[in-house]
Amino acid sequence: MKNYSSHHTARHKQGFASILTVTSVGIALLIVMISMYENTVESQKAEANHMLRGDYQQREEAFLRAMTNIIPNRAIIGMKDNSWQWSTRRNLSWKQIIDDAITQSNSEIAIDSDIASSLGVNTMRSGNIGDNDIYSMDVVSPGFSEQYWQHISSGANRTASSNYPPPLETTNYYERRDSRYPIISHLKAYGSSAEGWVHEDVNKYPQFNIINAPSMHFNYQAGDTLIAKHNWWVFKMNFADQDNNTTNLPSRTKYFLISLYEIPSQLPINGASFTALGAHSDGTEWSNIDIQGTVFGQKVVTEGSFTTDAIASRKGVTLSDNTIVGDLTTGITGNNPFASNARDLEQSKGKTFPISSASDGGRVSFIPINRGLEFYDRYTSNKESINSSNSVSPSSWDYYSIGAKRCAMRLDVIDVTAADNQTPTAIRFTYQKNGTTESQTFYKGDNWPNPDTALGELFPFHTQTTTDGRPAVSVHAERISNYLASQNAESTEINHSLSINVDYISNISIRPPAFPSLDDDISIVMLDAKDLSAYTRGFSLVTNMRLIIADDTNIVETATPDGITLPYEEKYYPPLSMFAPEKRFGSSNNPVPVQIEGQLGSVTKNNASPTRIADLKSGASGEVVPGNISATLKPISHPAALPPINMINWMVVIREIHPNLSNP
Amino acid sequence: MTVAIVVGLMVAGISLTLFNSQLASYRILKAQNFLISEAPQVNNTLNRIVSRANFFRMYAGMNDAISSENAVIENGKILALMFQGTDDNSQSFAVINFDEGNSRLDYYQVNSMAELAVASPSWNISNSIKDATFYVENGVLRIKLVGPNDEEIIYSSSTLR
């Protein structure tokens, strides 16, 4: 019994040792495994967090890109009459813009419930913890805390500082409205608060001043400054914060600046459409056309040998084999300048790559305000005033976007001989006098002076027949200023621009001019325009008829305004802009030499074949004689040199406001 | 008794083998640590910084970076990112420098590139990196990281456009 007992005890002890060994080895292995498991779990968690951060960043990025495209559209609608009606207005608010940008950027739930159910995954739990509906007011809030009740903070009426762009001034009422809706208006202007922060006198140039150009990959301007008005707003954004309870992801709220630059066309060539540069339509290369500065086209293609300082476009650039842009040749850039390393090589040298495209970037959109043929016609709508009615913005869209409506003086053909003979028999001349408009009506054979009488020799408007037999109104530009003075009208400081249209609304005998014009449509003949120095702010003419520039125009120099420094021996001429769907140079039937200094532009719309901006036509048949055409095209670099009527472009940019290190 | 010793030895042998294989797989996993945990973190950091910068430029060495000269588009060891101020006038720079001596990837925040001469790193992106190279391919910034065991990983990024 004792033996058995001791034997039993010995076996028990052996078994105990084995169990101990196995257990301790097992525990050791378990610890190693747990440690490895924990390590894996940790790294997976880190990976998941990185993915989630990347995901949030991409969603934020897509949201900002969507915003860039939505804002100008809503700002335009807000300028149209009756946009204050709730059904329209609610779509224009910043809140709605943010909501729409969230939808457009597809930054909400990853899979719609109906797609999920058709995939059969609707009953499963999602492992995507950041997959949530986004509530605009939770992720976006005003940038300035004192405007907490707003959706986005307006940059108007701020105190200027180096942290933000120079502020615009407006009334408190419109400042508040600007925080609820994107407002573009003449009532937002530079005032004393921006003095010293913009480059020119704010009293002289409250609308378009010289400002610092944004440093971007898209460069409309050639240098560091730009003639523009900079509307801006500030908001802060954090997409990650609202899911923080489930994701436990630390995140930082970022501040963003929305900029809408209103930019009057100031480049040597502004093509609001698909534009070909370098050759005429018959294939002859440009020979006497010298361009200084950046040229802009919606889409640019260069042909033959073409040289310029820089090219900016909206939708891409294609270069011919013999193009030189800045100091780069096609040999360096390739036909598609964005496909090569040329841009990076230039930027690595600290230079700005001279070819840029707004479509190449996500957070820039460049929009020429292009109404096409409507730009020339005051009768496009019955809107006459700069002020809108019952709308979100106090400025009228038609007035803003139609050059003919912005003109201070108007000449309307109000009657013609007959429907099949468009020779004008009555005109109405409207001008500014004592702060309001005054109209005079002249009838042929009654009070419209005959050209060969003493009175007629002073009167600025007559009728004539062109050499190719078209009925025409001749405009003696130099006589207008004297005529205005004789009528005690405002000076040419205010009466600086003239629109010439036909009133086809009230008189059915009058035909709206066709484009291209018909042989019996009315033409406008520009005469006596050699010396425009009486127009101290410049002169603009807008017409929807064929414009025949019969003689030398604007060839008498005038005093250079303050702030403009001209190169040695260069003369200053009053700013002149002439807008017409068709221009012909010379009144004879034969082509004449055409020499132009200044800028060329185009408002063609949706053209499949490119606009040839330097095809300056002359003679009755509108011939383009390449050897006759010479032009020196250069940019406008000062607001004093802007003519009264311009084409406007909008540039929308959204940028992050980085914490300022030197001035925290 | 012999059986007991044999069984004991077998248990010990198997335990030892198991333990060894565990350690081996742990070492294998640890060797891959750079690719699975360090590199994504470096990528995340770099990508988030680069994509918010306005422009980048790269240099082969610190002296070139300080004087802003001889920028390159291949074999860069220093990546300088320019951030434009919202007044369109001021600038600041984020500089990412591969410090070969200490196998570190450092981050500097400076107001001008010349400040690099005296600046100390604001923070350290990675300590376990053998090499980092920046270069451009077809307009895209590439970042090649080499880990402590010669693992290579290439990330792509681009600045704000």
Side-chain angles (χ1 to χ4, degrees):
Chain A
M1 192 65 189
K2 190 183 172 188
N3 277 346
Y4 175 77
S5 168
S6 70
H7 178 69
H8 178 79
T9 314
R11 270 172 59 188
H12 183 80
K13 276 181 184 165
Q14 268 179 8
F16 186 75
S18 300
I19 288 166
L20 195 69
T21 316
V22 171
T23 313
S24 46
V25 168
I27 289 172
L29 287 178
L30 208 62
I31 290 171
V32 174
M33 273 176 68
I34 288 172
S35 140
M36 281 163 64
Y37 181 71
E38 196 196 355
N39 199 24
T40 313
V41 168
E42 275 299 313
S43 66
Q44 272 187 358
K45 202 173 153 193
E47 187 92 358
N49 276 347
H50 294 320
M51 294 281 279
L52 204 54
R53 276 176 201 279
D55 183 47
Y56 279 123
Q57 194 173 3
Q58 283 180 7
R59 282 154 74 173
E60 288 178 353
E61 189 68 29
F63 166 79
L64 294 171
R65 286 171 186 225
M67 284 270 279
T68 314
N69 294 318
I70 296 173
I71 292 166
N73 184 295
R74 302 296 156 90
I76 289 172
I77 298 172
M79 294 170 82
K80 293 187 175 171
D81 281 357
N82 297 319
S83 56
W84 189 250
Q85 281 177 0
W86 177 241
S87 58
T88 310
R89 173 165 54 113
R90 65 179 176 186
N91 293 322
L92 308 180
S93 67
W94 283 114
K95 181 181 182 306
Q96 192 59 43
I97 291 173
I98 296 161
D99 281 337
D100 289 352
I102 290 171
T103 310
Q104 266 192 25
S105 58
N106 199 11
S107 49
E108 290 194 279
I109 289 192
I111 306 181
D112 280 340
S113 54
D114 50 339
I115 298 174
S117 55
S118 64
L119 290 171
V121 294
N122 53 327
T123 51
M124 296 182 184
R125 279 181 62 197
S126 168
N128 186 352
I129 46 177
D131 191 16
N132 254 337
D133 272 329
I134 293 174
Y135 298 102
S136 54
M137 292 300 105
D138 290 344
V139 293
V140 175
S141 47
F144 301 127
S145 53
E146 66 270 25
Q147 293 178 347
Y148 60 89
W149 70 90
Q150 310 288 26
H151 302 307
I152 273 182
S153 297
S154 163
N157 294 348
R158 306 290 306 175
T159 308
S161 75
S162 59
N163 296 332
Y164 295 101
L168 293 168
E169 290 180 8
T170 187
T171 59
N172 286 341
Y173 180 75
Y174 283 118
E175 178 202 324
R176 201 172 251 252
R177 195 181 276 190
D178 198 32
S179 309
R180 292 200 183 272
Y181 310 93
I183 303 272
I184 300 302
S185 170
H186 64 288
L187 296 184
K188 283 167 79 180
Y190 289 113
S192 53
S193 60
E195 184 78 67
W197 296 90
V198 293
H199 294 258
E200 276 298 330
D201 186 352
V202 288
N203 298 316
K204 271 189 184 165
Y205 310 107
Q207 291 291 329
F208 299 121
N209 208 301
I210 302 182
I211 59 169
N212 291 329
S215 174
M216 298 188 299
H217 291 263
F218 173 73
N219 293 298
Y220 176 80
Q221 77 292 346
D224 296 335
T225 57
L226 189 66
I227 306 173
K229 180 161 88 174
H230 185 178
N231 300 273
W232 55 275
W233 299 267
V234 178
F235 68 95
K236 54 185 177 186
M237 179 173 78
N238 191 338
F239 269 39
D241 198 38
Q242 72 160 14
D243 300 331
N244 200 25
N245 288 337
T246 48
T247 58
N248 291 322
L249 192 71
S251 59
R252 195 174 71 80
T253 301
K254 288 175 248 174
Y255 285 72
F256 290 91
L257 177 81
I258 304 172
S259 300
L260 194 156
Y261 294 86
E262 295 170 70
I263 307 172
S265 290
Q266 52 202 266
L267 300 184
I269 291 180
N270 281 280
S273 58
F274 177 23
T275 307
L277 305 169
H280 297 286
S281 45
D282 66 353
T284 318
E285 291 185 17
W286 292 359
S287 50
N288 298 313
I289 296 175
D290 174 35
I291 304 170
Q292 301 161 14
T294 308
V295 297
F296 171 78
Q298 190 190 42
K299 187 176 163 195
V300 175
V301 55
T302 68
E303 294 171 344
S305 307
F306 177 72
T307 303
T308 188
D309 290 346
I311 298 176
S313 82
R314 283 185 77 195
K315 294 183 178 170
V317 178
T318 308
L319 301 179
S320 70
D321 291 339
N322 290 317
T323 298
I324 301 174
V325 186
D327 52 4
L328 299 176
T329 59
T330 314
I332 299 171
T333 60
N335 298 101
N336 176 358
F338 305 120
S340 64
N341 270 349
R343 173 167 53 187
D344 308 288
L345 269 172
E346 278 300 281
Q347 288 175 354
S348 72
K349 293 174 196 155
K351 292 182 182 171
T352 306
F353 190 56
I355 308 165
S356 61
S357 174
S359 61
D360 189 40
R363 287 206 227 150
V364 187
S365 70
F366 192 86
I367 308 134
I369 303 294
N370 182 3
R371 297 278 303 249
L373 288 172
E374 292 176 345
F375 182 87
Y376 309 110
D377 190 4
R378 200 168 65 78
Y379 288 92
T380 297
S381 71
N382 56 8
K383 189 81 203 166
E384 292 283 313
S385 161
I386 188 170
N387 301 311
S388 57
S389 67
N390 192 30
S391 62
V392 172
S393 163
S395 296
S396 153
W397 172 245
D398 278 346
Y399 185 91
Y400 186 88
S401 61
I402 296 176
K405 286 185 186 290
R406 293 209 299 269
C407 292
M409 298 179 285
R410 301 159 199 161
L411 181 70
D412 302 317
V413 174
I414 55 170
D415 205 2
V416 293
T417 308
D420 58 356
N421 180 358
Q422 295 285 304
T423 307
T425 55
I427 53 168
R428 182 175 55 230
F429 179 47
T430 310
Y431 49 84
Q432 305 293 317
K433 183 175 176 180
N434 301 330
T436 180
T437 56
E438 186 165 284
S439 292
Q440 293 175 337
T441 311
F442 301 94
Y443 297 93
K444 262 278 169 265
D446 182 15
N447 63 340
W448 191 343
N450 263 332
D452 43 9
T453 60
L455 203 58
E457 279 177 6
L458 298 174
F459 194 69
F461 312 111
H462 290 293
T463 53
Q464 71 171 81
T465 307
T466 62
T467 38
D468 57 336
R470 293 166 179 245
V473 175
S474 51
V475 177
H476 299 257
E478 286 171 26
R479 296 184 194 170
I480 299 175
S481 53
N482 290 334
Y483 184 76
L484 290 169
S486 71
Q487 303 300 310
N488 295 318
E490 304 279 3
S491 73
T492 51
E493 280 273 311
I494 290 169
N495 283 313
H496 51 40
S497 45
L498 175 68
S499 69
I500 309 175
N501 295 122
V502 291
D503 184 2
Y504 53 85
I505 303 287
S506 351
N507 188 336
I508 52 163
S509 303
I510 303 180
R511 206 170 50 212
F515 179 78
S517 64
L518 304 174
D519 285 347
D520 57 349
D521 271 344
I522 305 173
S523 298
I524 304 298
V525 181
M526 180 92 158
L527 293 166
D528 287 340
K530 284 193 186 71
D531 183 0
L532 297 174
S533 56
Y535 296 91
T536 43
R537 278 192 54 197
F539 181 74
S540 290
L541 185 134
V542 184
T543 178
N544 58 346
M545 290 166 268
R546 172 180 281 200
L547 177 65
I548 298 164
I549 298 156
D551 207 348
D552 290 346
T553 300
N554 201 20
I555 53 166
V556 175
E557 62 181 301
T558 188
T560 313
D562 291 344
I564 298 183
T565 314
L566 289 178
Y568 179 64
E569 285 197 334
E570 197 166 291
K571 292 170 182 165
Y572 182 81
Y573 300 94
L576 166 71
S577 63
M578 291 186 288
F579 295 91
E582 293 178 24
K583 287 194 190 90
R584 294 289 180 273
F585 294 88
S587 58
S588 75
N589 274 335
N590 301 319
V592 293
V594 183
Q595 188 187 354
I596 282 191
E597 259 187 62
Q599 298 82 35
L600 291 173
S602 152
V603 292
T604 316
K605 269 184 129 170
N606 306 326
N607 52 330
S609 56
T611 306
R612 294 179 186 277
I613 219 155
D615 276 7
L616 306 175
K617 295 178 179 169
S618 64
S621 52
E623 279 179 77
V624 179
V625 183
N628 275 351
I629 299 170
S630 68
T632 307
L633 306 177
K634 45 193 163 187
I636 298 172
S637 55
H638 194 277
L642 283 176
I645 309 293
N646 302 290
M647 277 178 60
I648 305 284
N649 307 280
W650 283 4
M651 181 164 72
V652 182
V653 188
I654 300 185
R655 284 169 286 179
E656 187 181 347
I657 304 171
H658 302 292
N660 192 336
L661 292 169
S662 55
N663 192 8
Chain B
M1 183 66 184
T2 319
V3 173
I5 290 169
V6 169
V7 168
L9 278 174
M10 274 172 68
V11 168
I14 291 168
S15 311
L16 212 64
T17 316
L18 267 174
F19 198 68
N20 254 337
S21 72
Q22 283 286 346
L23 279 180
S25 54
Y26 185 69
R27 267 197 299 272
I28 292 168
L29 278 179
K30 199 160 184 287
Q32 291 172 355
N33 209 24
F34 176 77
L35 288 183
I36 59 173
S37 61
E38 188 80 8
Q41 190 140 350
V42 175
N43 170 48
N44 177 52
T45 312
L46 291 182
N47 205 4
R48 281 161 64 86
I49 300 169
V50 172
S51 64
R52 286 158 62 193
N54 294 81
F55 291 93
F56 68 81
R57 214 172 294 168
M58 48 187 75
Y59 301 94
M62 192 50 117
N63 289 338
D64 285 342
I66 291 167
S67 55
S68 297
E69 280 173 353
N70 305 326
V72 293
I73 61 164
E74 50 188 21
N75 287 324
K77 294 293 170 194
I78 297 175
L79 180 70
L81 301 161
M82 197 264 268
F83 294 87
Q84 186 74 30
T86 32
D87 61 347
D88 294 323
N89 213 6
S90 54
Q91 299 172 343
S92 63
F93 297 87
V95 180
I96 294 153
N97 171 35
F98 173 62
D99 177 354
E100 202 169 356
N102 296 314
S103 298
R104 284 159 51 132
L105 200 58
D106 289 330
Y107 177 89
Y108 296 80
Q109 182 78 54
V110 286
N111 285 319
S112 76
M113 291 299 285
E115 276 179 34
L116 271 183
V118 290
S120 49
S122 310
W123 33 273
N124 168 243
I125 298 173
S126 176
N127 272 328
S128 56
I129 205 162
K130 209 175 190 178
D131 193 17
T133 312
F134 306 106
Y135 57 102
V136 175
E137 255 177 20
N138 298 328
V140 177
L141 170 64
R142 309 255 191 224
I143 300 162
K144 186 166 92 175
L145 304 175
V146 180
N149 299 304
D150 291 329
E151 316 92 312
E152 268 189 23
I153 191 159
I154 298 172
Y155 290 113
S156 302
S157 185
S158 73
T159 53
L160 194 65
R161 299 229 182 260

